[in-house]
Amino acid sequence: MVEKLAIEGGNPVRTEPWPRRIQFDEKELNAVIEVMKDAIEGSGSLWRMGGKRCEEFEREFADFFGTKYAVAVSSGTAAVHVALASLRLDPGCEVITSPITDVGTVTPIIYQNLIPVFADVDPETLNITADFIEKRITNRTKAIIPVHLWGAPCDMDPIMELAEKYNLVVIEDCAQAHGAIYKGRLVGSIGDMGCFSLMAGKHITTGGEGGAIITNNEEYYRNAMTSSRSKFAPWATIRFDIAYPVLNYRLTEIQAAIGLVQLRKLPNIVAKRREICMKLFKLISSLKAVKFPKILEGTEPSFWFLPLFVDLEKVAVSIDQFAEALQKEGIPCGAKYTGAPMYEYMFIAQKNTYGRSKCPWTCPYYGRDIDYRDSCPNAEKSLNQVITLPINESCTEKEIEDIALALEKVEARYLKL
């Protein structure tokens, strides 16, 4: 007999609150106090120009990922914007990226008067692939921004081969993939640049908001330092000799001090997330309708969140109803992740950008039309089949066992005979 679901009046699998994620301890507190003491005594500053933590954080961040340079900035969105600005591309150039991502990936493209182009995804990973990217390449294409969604690396070797073939720059969006590994290399260090978000919800944070760019290219590094105003260009003959318009995306010394502590915790955070997510993989491997995402051979995801796919042809409810039933069983989860591909978001679908101009799409430097409708069928279908679980390093075996039990219970109730 199938057990009665909590949403139907039955007993839930779990009644206790989901564990609160504990990100900070006295190490972060002491780091902040030390910065403040230095500022009070006059030996330091809260501004990076008179301090030392930002530069120390950049050195350690670059060392961690095995790159020559890192630039600390105020957010993950700022990181993508600065990376694009450092390329010095002409208006009307195209940048290919994923339709399943945050607006922080796409908005910087538009702010640089570039044209976002969306490549379809692997329906089992939600990540873009070289095959779909190549179908979108035109003579206007200048860059690719692969997004390592949910902490799972994109298949980077074919993407890098494609970039070399067409002379394109690759900017990895690693906002959700701190510590993820692709064939022995940390993501972010594979492309020409890697961009990270360090906001409060990510694997590590610089105190609520923050971001970073890594690169081995000295020209991109110099441009990124200038574009973010993270340091007045020491190679310029005049202190304020700024060669092109720039924005202030600087990180503060307090944020950098927190970031230094957090960066040293990252290996343990990622290791714990991998351990508990792979335990869940084993526990649910026999389910008929619910499936774990595909993990590419030679990769180790860092699991910012965990997506699970529900085969809607095998269950008698929608993805929203399936997720709601899990929630009633005491499992916090969401349905459809972003809800829709980026090109269905109003500001892109209606081209609501600079006033009523519809720039950059109407920019004479572009001079062509682009139709996003139904351009990524895999993305549209996959989003309607995915549920997301907020698994993090504060979860224990109890949480993983409860998730597995709830999934078994809900699937058994809704599975088509």
Side-chain angles (χ1 to χ4, degrees):
M1 181 177 177
V2 176
E3 188 176 355
K4 192 175 184 180
L5 297 181
I7 199 171
E8 299 169 331
N11 294 322
V13 167
R14 182 186 179 93
T15 56
E16 57 266 51
W18 203 252
R20 181 176 68 89
R21 185 186 177 203
I22 300 172
Q23 288 181 275
F24 309 115
D25 56 33
E26 289 190 358
K27 292 179 181 178
E28 284 89 355
L29 177 60
N30 291 335
V32 172
I33 291 172
E34 187 178 335
V35 174
M36 291 300 300
K37 283 184 177 179
D38 288 350
I40 291 168
E41 294 168 358
S43 60
S45 170
L46 302 186
W47 188 37
R48 77 165 286 161
M49 298 309 172
K52 60 185 180 182
R53 271 81 174 185
C54 285
E55 291 188 1
E56 184 181 356
F57 176 68
E58 287 168 341
R59 285 194 300 272
E60 286 205 20
F61 202 88
D63 287 345
F64 183 93
F65 289 95
T67 58
K68 292 181 180 179
Y69 311 109
V71 179
V73 292
S74 55
S75 70
T77 303
V80 177
H81 194 182
V82 167
L84 283 168
S86 72
L87 301 182
R88 307 292 294 132
L89 297 176
D90 291 333
C93 292
E94 295 175 345
V95 178
I96 299 174
T97 191
S98 173
I100 306 178
T101 187
D102 182 78
V103 293
T105 307
V106 181
T107 298
I109 299 173
I110 295 170
Y111 267 92
Q112 283 301 114
N113 286 303
L114 308 171
I115 306 297
V117 176
F118 301 100
D120 211 350
V121 303
D122 178 339
E124 296 182 274
T125 67
L126 303 180
N127 281 332
I128 60 173
T129 69
D131 288 342
F132 289 119
I133 292 170
E134 188 163 25
K135 292 177 181 178
R136 295 287 184 259
I137 294 175
T138 72
N139 63 340
R140 297 276 186 171
T141 307
K142 298 298 179 183
I144 306 167
I145 306 181
V147 180
H148 303 294
L149 204 69
W150 61 270
C154 297
D155 194 358
M156 289 302 297
D157 281 351
I159 291 175
M160 296 307 296
E161 291 169 7
L162 203 62
E164 184 176 2
K165 177 181 177 181
Y166 291 97
N167 193 28
L168 306 177
V169 176
V170 176
I171 301 172
E172 296 178 73
D173 186 331
C174 310
Q176 301 179 4
H178 308 59
I181 296 173
Y182 177 83
K183 297 184 179 180
R185 298 179 65 184
L186 289 167
V187 299
S189 67
I190 303 166
D192 297 282
M193 285 180 275
C195 298
F196 295 82
S197 169
L198 299 169
M199 56 84 72
K202 297 303 193 295
H203 294 79
I204 59 172
T205 182
T206 45
E209 293 289 354
I213 305 113
I214 57 175
T215 186
N216 288 313
N217 185 298
E218 185 177 358
E219 179 185 356
Y220 296 158
Y221 164 68
R222 289 187 173 199
N223 286 348
M225 292 293 279
T226 302
S227 297
S228 61
R229 294 190 68 192
S230 290
K231 196 169 187 179
F232 294 119
W235 45 87
T237 54
I238 303 173
R239 188 182 184 203
F240 292 99
D241 184 12
I242 303 298
Y244 50 86
V246 298
L247 295 165
N248 176 11
Y249 284 143
R250 281 189 295 268
L251 203 68
T252 69
E253 286 286 284
I254 287 178
Q255 289 174 293
I258 295 170
L260 279 164
V261 177
Q262 289 270 296
L263 183 61
R264 294 158 191 167
K265 293 180 178 181
L266 181 56
N268 288 335
I269 290 171
V270 173
K272 178 65 175 178
R273 289 182 179 224
R274 284 188 184 129
E275 177 188 354
I276 59 179
C277 285
M278 295 318 293
K279 283 183 179 178
L280 180 62
F281 171 70
K282 292 179 181 178
L283 290 174
I284 67 170
S285 60
S286 62
L287 293 182
K288 295 178 175 61
V290 180
K291 297 300 176 186
F292 211 76
K294 180 174 69 177
I295 296 176
L296 300 179
E297 185 177 354
T299 70
E300 298 179 54
S302 56
F303 295 104
W304 183 56
F305 67 86
L306 178 63
L308 295 177
F309 295 93
V310 181
D311 188 339
L312 297 182
E313 293 184 358
K314 294 182 178 179
V315 295
V317 292
S318 69
I319 195 68
D320 294 294
Q321 291 169 316
F322 197 96
E324 185 181 6
L326 279 176
Q327 292 164 7
K328 296 297 183 181
E329 297 296 335
I331 307 301
C333 68
K336 301 181 182 179
Y337 183 47
T338 58
M342 280 301 310
Y343 52 80
E344 292 186 8
Y345 281 43
M346 185 181 296
F347 79 101
I348 294 179
Q350 298 183 10
K351 297 181 172 59
N352 293 331
T353 51
Y354 304 98
R356 299 176 183 176
S357 69
K358 300 187 184 297
C359 284
W361 292 277
T362 57
C363 174
Y365 287 102
Y366 187 49
R368 61 180 66 173
D369 294 324
I370 186 168
D371 188 353
Y372 295 121
R373 289 174 299 178
D374 306 317
S375 59
C376 300
N378 285 347
E380 294 179 18
K381 183 178 179 180
S382 297
L383 284 173
N384 284 316
Q385 295 181 329
V386 71
I387 55 175
T388 58
L389 296 170
I391 296 177
N392 60 64
E393 64 278 8
S394 294
C395 294
T396 67
E397 286 194 19
K398 177 67 166 63
E399 279 70 54
I400 300 307
E401 289 169 357
D402 285 346
I403 291 172
L405 285 172
L407 285 168
E408 290 172 7
K409 182 180 176 183
V410 174
E411 179 186 279
R413 172 66 179 85
Y414 291 143
L415 198 66
K416 292 178 182 178
L417 299 177

